[in-house]
Amino acid sequence: MKKLVSILALALIALTVQAQILDPVKWKIKLEDSGTPEKEIIFTATSDKGWHLYDMDLPEGGPVSTSFTFETLNGAELIGKPTSSVKPTTVYDEQFQMDLRWYPGTVSFTQKIKVTDPAKFKAEGQVEFMACNDETCLPPDHVDFSFDKKNIHMNAVSEAETVAPDKQDATIVQPDTEVVAQEAAELTTSEPVAQKSAASTNVANELTDNASLWTPVISELKAFGDTTVSATDTSWLFIFFAGFLGGLIALLTPCVWPMIPMTVSFFLKRTKDRKKAIRDAVTYGISIIVIYLVMGLLITGIFGASALNDLSTNAIFNIIFFLLLVVFAISFFGAFELVLPASWTNKLDSKADSTTGILSIFFMSFTLVLVSFSCTGPIIGTLLVQAASMGTAVGPAIGMFGFALALSIPFSFFAIFPNMLQSMPKSGGWLNSVKVVLGFLELALALKFLSVADLAYGWRLLDREVFIVLWIVIFVLLGSYLLGKIKFSHDSDLKYISVPRLFMAIISFAFAVYMIPGLWGAPLKAISAFAPPLYTQDFNLYENEVHAAFDDYETGMAYAKKVNKPVMIDFSGYGCVNCRKMEASVWTDPKVKQLLEKDYVLITLMVDDKTKLPQPIEIEEHGKVRKLKTIGDKWSYLQRSKFGANAQPFYILLNDEGQPLGPSYAFNEDVSKYVQFLQNGLRVFKEKK
C-alpha cells in the first residue's frame, strides 16, 4: 500500500525539493517627504500566500512581535508610534494559549517624524519580524534601514529650490536578498569597504574559537542526497488523498450507489453505438470532476485563501460547523431527511431532456450533484474546512478534484465494462447501515470543532479526558450498532452478522479500548490531531518526554568529543508548533528515546531565543554585513550558513568535528523513518572512527 501511495504521489506532484533558505516576507521601506518638517517613514511588508507577519506589541510569552527600532536619530524626533494600514487578523493559538494578531498579504506601517535640523538629519535602525504559516515558523529576522539629509527636502533650506527630489527607498538588508538597487546602496553606505572587509575577517574569531565547527557543509549534505519535504506540497497531497477518500465513502451512500447502474444503463441504452455510449459515460464522469473542481475554485475566489484559513480557526465558525455536523449526524440516524428543493433538480432534468450533446450530459452530472447532496454535503463540508486550514489558495480545488475523481471513476469504469454491473452489490439495507455509520463518524468529528471553540473561549468544558470519554462512548455505540444491538427506525431487520460487518465492529471496539489509557495521559498518537492538547488533561501519569542535555552548540560539541559520541542538532523555536508535535509524537517513542538519550548527544538550539549576546557579532552574509544581537540570531545564522536552511524543525547528525553523518531531517511524524535516520547516522559514525 505504501508503495502504491508513493507511486501516486510521484505522479501527482514532486514532493522533495532541495533544502533552501525561505524568504516569504519582502520589505520596502521609504521616506515620504512632504517638504515640511513633518515626514513619514513607511514600512511595507508583503507576505507570500499562506504566510503571515505578526503584529506589534504581542503579549509576553508569545511569538516575536514586529518592532521598529531607531538606533540613530539625529536632527529629528519621533511623533507617536507606528500605525498599521489594515486591521490585523486575530486568532486564538492553542500552543501559546493566547490571542495572536497577524497580517496576511500586504500591510504598511507608518512612523511619523519631525525634522528639527535638516543639516544633521540621520535616521538608522532596523525592523525585527517573524514569519509563520500553518506548517512552520521561521526564526526572527531583521531588515535594516537608513536615511540622511540626501533623502529629504525642506522648503526652508533654500528658497531657490522649487522642486522636491524624488522619494528614495532605503536599502533593505535580508539574509537572502539578491540585488539591491545601486542608487539606494549609495545613499545608505555608511562605512568604507575596507572596514567591511576587516569585519569579515574577524567573523570566525567573534563567533567561535573553533572555526571548523562553523564551516559550511552544504555540499557534503548534497552528496548524501539531502532533501527536505516541501510543506506546501505535502499539504496538497494530503488534501488530494483526503478528498479521494471522501469520494470513495460518498460512493457507498444511498444517494450515490444506486445511481451508478441506473446512469450507466441509461447511456448504454441511449444509443445502439456502444462506443458512443461509453464515450458519453466517460464525458459524464469528466463533467462531475469539472463541476466539483469549479466549485472549489469558486469558493477560494469568493472568500480568498487567507479568509478561508481565518474561518477555519475562528471560534464562532467552529461552533457553527459543530452544530451543522450534529444536524447531519441526526439526519443520517434517520430523524429527518435533508434534501435540496425539488424545483432545482426538476429544472436540471428538463434542461438535460431539452438539450443534446455534451451540454445534456453536463446537466445530468449537475443533477447527480444536487440529488446526492444530502449524503455528500457533510463529507464535502468537512473536506473544505480541512483544505482551508492548509492556507493554500488551491487547497479547496485540489480537495474537490480528489473527491470528484473518486466519485466519477465507477461511472466511467462500468460504462467500459458493462457486464461487471451484474456483480455489483444490489441496493438495500446495507446502504442505510453505511449512512448510520457515517452519522457516528460525523458526530465524533463534530467534537473536534467544538474543542477548537472550547479552547478559544477558555470554557474548559471539553478537556482532553472529556473528549476521549465521548469518543470512547461513540465508538462503543458504533460497534454495538454494527453487531445489531442498536436499531434505528428505518433500519432493516438484521438476520445475521456479515463478515465485513463483524470486522468493522471489532475495529470499532478495539479503537475504543485503545483510547482508554488516554484517560490517564497516554499520548494516543493515532488521535493526536483531533484530541485537545495534553496540557488540558487534569490527571496525567505520563512522563516519557525527551529533553536536550545542551542548549549551546560548542559546549555540546566539546562534550561529544570527550565522550566520543555523535551529535544531533535540533534547530527548534519557542514558537514552532511542528517542533512540539515532533517532540510529542516521535521523540516519545521508546526506540527514539533510547537512541537520543544513550547513543547521541542532543543539542537543542532555539532560533528565536531573545537573550542578548554579551556584544553584537558582525558577520558577512550574501555580500552584506549584518549584526547578530541575540542567541537566537546566532543559532539561526549557524543553521543558514553551515547547513543552508532556515525552517524548523530541522535535525542534523554530526561528528565531533561538525561534519554531517547523513542527510538532514525535517518535519515528518513517521517514527520508523526517524529511527532509520538516527541509526544510519550512528552506523556512519562508527565506520569513520
Side-chain angles (χ1 to χ4, degrees):
M1 182 63 185
K2 289 184 178 179
K3 290 183 178 179
L4 177 60
V5 171
S6 300
I7 293 171
L8 289 174
L10 291 171
L12 291 167
I13 194 164
L15 279 177
T16 55
V17 296
Q18 184 62 42
Q20 56 183 331
I21 300 295
L22 300 177
D23 181 24
V25 179
K26 310 295 189 300
W27 285 89
K28 184 177 182 182
I29 306 174
K30 63 182 179 180
L31 175 66
E32 290 279 3
D33 188 358
S34 61
T36 65
E38 290 193 4
K39 307 181 186 301
E40 294 180 343
I41 299 179
I42 300 177
F43 307 84
T44 302
T46 301
S47 302
D48 293 344
K49 288 183 179 180
W51 290 84
H52 56 257
L53 180 77
Y54 284 107
D55 194 12
M56 302 174 287
D57 302 320
L58 294 179
E60 290 187 6
V64 175
S65 305
T66 299
S67 61
F68 305 88
T69 304
F70 285 80
E71 297 173 342
T72 302
L73 187 61
N74 298 329
E77 59 186 27
L78 301 179
I79 302 176
K81 295 182 178 181
T83 57
S84 60
S85 58
V86 295
K87 290 184 178 180
T89 298
T90 302
V91 175
Y92 182 83
D93 188 276
E94 297 179 13
Q95 177 69 28
F96 294 105
Q97 300 185 53
M98 64 175 67
D99 287 327
L100 297 182
R101 306 184 306 275
W102 65 52
Y103 299 97
T106 300
V107 59
S108 294
F109 302 91
T110 301
Q111 171 66 66
K112 293 184 178 181
I113 63 172
K114 182 178 180 180
V115 177
T116 56
D117 189 345
K120 296 181 179 179
F121 173 69
K122 188 172 185 179
E124 291 182 338
Q126 66 177 9
V127 183
E128 183 178 28
F129 65 99
M130 185 172 179
C132 293
N133 62 13
D134 290 333
E135 300 291 334
T136 187
C137 282
L138 300 182
D141 205 351
H142 306 92
V143 174
D144 296 333
F145 63 89
S146 176
F147 299 102
D148 57 22
K149 61 184 180 181
K150 297 178 183 179
N151 300 105
I152 64 171
H153 170 73
M154 298 287 286
N155 291 333
V157 174
S158 173
E159 295 181 358
E161 294 179 348
T162 58
V163 180
D166 293 337
K167 300 166 187 175
Q168 302 290 341
D169 288 352
T171 302
I172 301 173
V173 182
Q174 296 192 58
D176 48 345
T177 301
E178 295 180 1
V179 180
V180 180
Q182 183 64 34
E183 181 180 358
E186 293 173 356
L187 287 171
T188 57
T189 300
S190 58
E191 66 176 327
V193 175
Q195 291 182 6
K196 289 186 178 181
S197 300
S200 302
T201 59
N202 294 327
V203 167
N205 292 331
E206 293 179 20
L207 277 171
T208 176
D209 293 330
N210 187 354
S212 63
L213 293 180
W214 289 73
T215 303
V217 293
I218 299 172
S219 59
E220 288 87 342
L221 289 174
K222 288 181 179 179
F224 279 113
D226 193 300
T227 57
T228 56
V229 176
S230 166
T232 301
D233 290 350
T234 303
S235 299
W236 289 3
L237 187 65
F238 176 82
I239 294 170
F240 173 80
F241 279 112
F244 193 83
L245 179 61
L248 294 178
I249 294 173
L251 281 173
L252 301 177
T253 60
C255 313
V256 179
W257 186 262
M259 297 290 292
I260 298 173
M262 292 172 55
T263 307
V264 173
S265 298
F266 170 79
F267 281 116
L268 292 176
K269 294 177 181 178
R270 188 176 182 181
T271 175
K272 294 181 180 179
D273 186 350
R274 184 171 179 273
K275 289 185 178 180
K276 185 178 184 303
I278 292 174
R279 186 167 60 249
D280 288 347
V282 172
T283 305
Y284 180 74
I286 294 174
S287 298
I288 294 173
I289 295 175
V290 170
I291 290 169
Y292 280 109
L293 187 59
V294 170
M295 196 183 303
L297 291 172
L298 282 176
I299 289 170
T300 301
I302 294 172
F303 295 101
S306 60
L308 283 171
N309 185 46
D310 294 341
L311 276 177
S312 68
T313 54
N314 181 275
I316 295 177
F317 174 78
N318 277 277
I319 292 174
I320 293 173
F321 204 76
F322 159 74
L323 295 174
L324 280 176
L325 288 183
V326 171
V327 170
F328 276 121
I330 295 172
S331 172
F332 281 179
F333 291 149
F336 52 84
E337 190 74 22
L338 284 173
V339 292
L340 292 175
S343 58
W344 293 12
T345 53
N346 291 336
K347 286 181 180 179
L348 286 173
D349 276 336
S350 62
K351 285 285 186 181
D353 292 336
S354 60
T355 56
T356 57
I358 295 178
L359 191 59
S360 172
I361 297 173
F362 181 80
F363 280 119
M364 289 182 65
S365 303
F366 222 120
T367 303
L368 170 69
V369 173
L370 292 181
V371 169
S372 63
F373 171 78
S374 61
C375 294
T376 60
I379 301 172
I380 293 173
T382 307
L383 172 65
L384 289 176
V385 171
Q386 181 64 49
S389 67
M390 296 297 180
T392 172
V394 295
I398 291 174
M400 294 294 258
F401 173 72
F403 179 87
L405 180 64
L407 202 64
S408 63
I409 285 175
F411 291 95
S412 301
F413 179 80
F414 286 116
I416 297 173
F417 305 103
N419 292 333
M420 297 188 68
L421 281 172
Q422 304 298 325
S423 61
M424 279 183 62
K426 305 300 179 183
S427 301
W430 71 274
L431 284 178
N432 182 70
S433 297
V434 171
K435 201 172 180 181
V436 172
V437 169
L438 284 177
F440 279 109
L441 296 179
E442 291 285 347
L443 198 58
L445 188 59
L447 293 174
K448 164 61 180 173
F449 297 98
L450 180 61
S451 172
V452 174
D454 179 68
L455 290 167
Y457 287 108
W459 296 330
R460 296 303 296 267
L461 299 175
L462 202 61
D463 287 350
R464 188 171 182 267
E465 59 265 48
V466 177
F467 182 95
I468 292 173
V469 163
L470 290 173
W471 267 42
I472 290 172
V473 171
I474 289 172
F475 282 94
V476 166
L477 291 175
L478 173 57
S480 300
Y481 172 79
L482 291 169
L483 292 179
K485 302 301 181 181
I486 298 176
K487 184 179 178 182
F488 291 96
S489 59
H490 61 312
D491 281 326
S492 304
D493 291 333
L494 190 63
K495 297 180 180 179
Y496 60 90
I497 305 296
S498 64
V499 173
R501 195 164 181 139
L502 174 63
F503 274 94
M504 289 177 64
I506 292 173
I507 292 172
S508 184
F509 282 124
F511 186 56
V513 173
Y514 161 80
M515 290 187 285
I516 293 175
L519 300 174
W520 291 273
L524 301 182
K525 298 174 187 177
I527 65 169
S528 59
F530 298 94
L534 198 59
Y535 67 76
T536 65
Q537 183 124 354
D538 296 325
F539 186 59
N540 185 4
L541 299 178
Y542 187 72
E543 296 180 355
N544 197 30
E545 298 176 348
V546 176
H547 299 282
F550 298 92
D551 60 3
D552 181 83
Y553 175 53
E554 294 185 4
T555 304
M557 294 297 287
Y559 177 79
K561 190 168 189 175
K562 180 179 179 181
V563 298
N564 194 28
K565 283 186 178 181
V567 174
M568 187 179 89
I569 306 293
D570 162 35
F571 285 99
S572 184
Y574 295 115
C576 175
V577 175
N578 281 344
C579 301
R580 304 293 87 77
K581 287 182 179 179
M582 289 293 290
E583 291 161 10
S585 64
V586 178
W587 284 14
T588 54
D589 179 82
K591 199 164 187 178
V592 173
K593 178 179 172 67
Q594 182 179 8
L595 284 167
L596 290 177
E597 293 181 341
K598 294 186 177 181
D599 298 313
Y600 280 91
V601 174
L602 178 59
I603 306 173
T604 293
L605 304 178
M606 293 292 187
V607 298
D608 54 1
D609 189 335
K610 303 309 294 178
T611 304
K612 295 289 185 182
L613 292 169
Q615 60 182 16
I617 301 173
E618 281 194 349
I619 54 95
E620 182 176 328
E621 188 175 22
H622 301 286
K624 307 294 178 183
V625 174
R626 306 180 72 237
K627 288 184 178 180
L628 308 179
K629 299 181 179 181
T630 66
I631 290 176
D633 290 344
K634 185 177 179 180
W635 303 146
S636 179
Y637 173 68
L638 172 66
Q639 185 184 0
R640 296 194 309 270
S641 62
K642 186 174 179 69
F643 306 111
N646 69 340
Q648 291 79 45
F650 183 83
Y651 309 103
I652 191 75
L653 307 179
L654 305 174
N655 61 18
D656 54 28
E657 296 178 352
Q659 293 299 307
L661 302 174
S664 63
Y665 194 97
F667 176 67
N668 188 331
E669 294 179 283
D670 189 325
V671 173
S672 62
K673 289 184 179 179
Y674 202 81
V675 169
Q676 184 180 9
F677 162 71
L678 294 174
Q679 289 177 337
N680 286 343
L682 198 60
R683 176 180 53 79
V684 174
F685 177 77
K686 291 177 180 178
E687 289 175 354
K688 292 185 176 182
K689 278 175 121 180

